[in-house]
Amino acid sequence: MRFKFLIVFTLLAIISLTYAYAEEEEHQTIDTLLNNLTSVNQYLQDNEVLIQGPALKIIKDGNITLNVERLDGSLTSIYLEVQKKRVTQIAKGAPEKSSYEISTSEETINFIIDSEAIPENLLVKYKEDKIKIKAHGFGNSIKLFFAKIFLK
């Protein structure tokens, strides 16, 4: 079971951050997160948010991009910056370089954020092909390839 989280680690990191912040602020959607990035980044400075467990096997320092197809058909990109196992910031837009790129819909991410069983729902949505993950770079591609094998 622990390897099942390897494939969804980046989205889980973003959603865990959102969820941890939401616990204090009652934020329940991706829009609320996007509208409060200053507060979210202050939260990251005041609280240590670490990438943990199996995710550490495939993610090191770098950026993780999340592309969200909005209900109106537009695309919103945000990225998570990780340094020394710690999430240091989340920002709108796409960075110049990204280790992994995740694509999903607004409906999917809001469903996951608002759920009580975040890890289980991530896996369900991944298996339903509602979440797509692409690795950038040879090493990251190899890690992602093997992580996908464990999800079958």
Side-chain angles (χ1 to χ4, degrees), residues 3 9 33 36 51 76 88 92 94 96 110 117 123 137 139 143:
F3 287 106
F9 71 93
L33 172 72
N36 292 288
I51 304 292
T76 298
T88 57
K92 286 183 185 177
E96 259 185 56
N110 285 341
L123 189 57
K143 292 174 192 177

Side-chain angles (χ1 to χ4, degrees), residues 39-86:
S39 298
V40 171
N41 284 315
Q42 185 61 49
Y43 178 85
L44 287 172
Q45 296 306 309
D46 296 342
N47 300 277
E48 195 169 71
V49 178
L50 298 173
I51 304 292
Q52 299 178 354
L56 285 175
K57 295 190 184 302
I58 56 177
I59 186 166
K60 302 295 179 205
D61 293 353
N63 297 314
I64 303 159
T65 303
L66 173 64
N67 296 314
V68 180
E69 184 180 343
R70 306 305 295 256
L71 295 174
D72 66 5
S74 64
L75 186 69
T76 298
S77 295
I78 60 174
Y79 68 94
L80 184 76
E81 186 178 293
V82 178
Q83 293 178 355
K84 298 179 183 174
K85 304 177 192 176
R86 184 172 180 254

Side-chain angles (χ1 to χ4, degrees), residues 28-29 34-35 51 56 60 83 101 110 118-119 128 133:
Q28 299 294 326
T29 68
L34 292 171
N35 292 332
I51 304 292
L56 285 175
K60 302 295 179 205
Q83 293 178 355
E101 187 174 324
N110 285 341
I118 289 175
E128 290 176 353
I133 303 174

Side-chain angles (χ1 to χ4, degrees), residues 81-132:
E81 186 178 293
V82 178
Q83 293 178 355
K84 298 179 183 174
K85 304 177 192 176
R86 184 172 180 254
V87 179
T88 57
Q89 81 165 342
I90 187 168
K92 286 183 185 177
E96 259 185 56
K97 262 178 115 172
S98 184
S99 301
Y100 296 92
E101 187 174 324
I102 303 163
S103 299
T104 192
S105 69
E106 181 177 359
E107 181 181 26
T108 299
I109 197 163
N110 285 341
F111 170 79
I112 294 167
I113 289 171
D114 199 35
S115 73
E116 302 245 342
I118 289 175
E120 292 83 1
N121 286 326
L122 275 167
L123 189 57
V124 166
K125 293 299 182 183
Y126 174 78
K127 287 184 175 183
E128 290 176 353
D129 209 28
K130 302 282 185 185
I131 300 170
K132 297 184 184 328

